[in-house]
Amino acid sequence: MTYKVLLFASLRERIGQDHLSLELTDSEATVAALLRVIEEQHPELREILPHVRVAIDHEFGAPHATLPTDAEIALIPPVSGG
């Protein structure tokens, strides 16, 4: 299954695009697997990924959360500053 993952702020700047298209099998369609694939394909994000929140259809998902096939998925980096 192909998932479109929206990128924001520093993630978008590091990659140079506003989204990623990722392939996951049905058995690996979880938040944790998604982050693992992103880290493998984009090692430049490795240091920030542990701090990123994953939103699935506008709600934050836990690492074990399953990704629905038609879900809007977004990676939300931590807010810096204050």
Side-chain angles (χ1 to χ4, degrees):
M1 181 64 53
T2 301
Y3 292 92
K4 180 179 179 179
V5 181
L6 303 175
L7 303 174
F8 295 95
S10 59
L11 297 168
R12 181 178 54 224
E13 292 168 9
R14 288 182 189 214
I15 296 293
Q17 56 192 50
D18 63 357
H19 74 278
L20 300 172
S21 293
L22 301 171
E23 289 288 328
L24 296 174
T25 64
D26 289 340
S27 64
E28 64 182 1
T30 65
V31 168
L34 176 84
L35 292 173
R36 192 170 41 253
V37 169
I38 291 171
E39 183 177 347
E40 290 169 2
Q41 293 182 5
H42 299 280
E44 64 272 28
L45 298 179
R46 183 171 287 135
E47 71 180 41
I48 197 171
L49 284 178
H51 309 288
V52 166
R53 301 286 308 265
V54 177
I56 306 165
D57 290 330
H58 305 277
E59 293 186 20
F60 290 124
H64 64 276
T66 302
L67 303 172
T69 57
D70 59 349
E72 177 183 83
I73 302 168
L75 296 187
I76 314 296
V79 177
S80 63

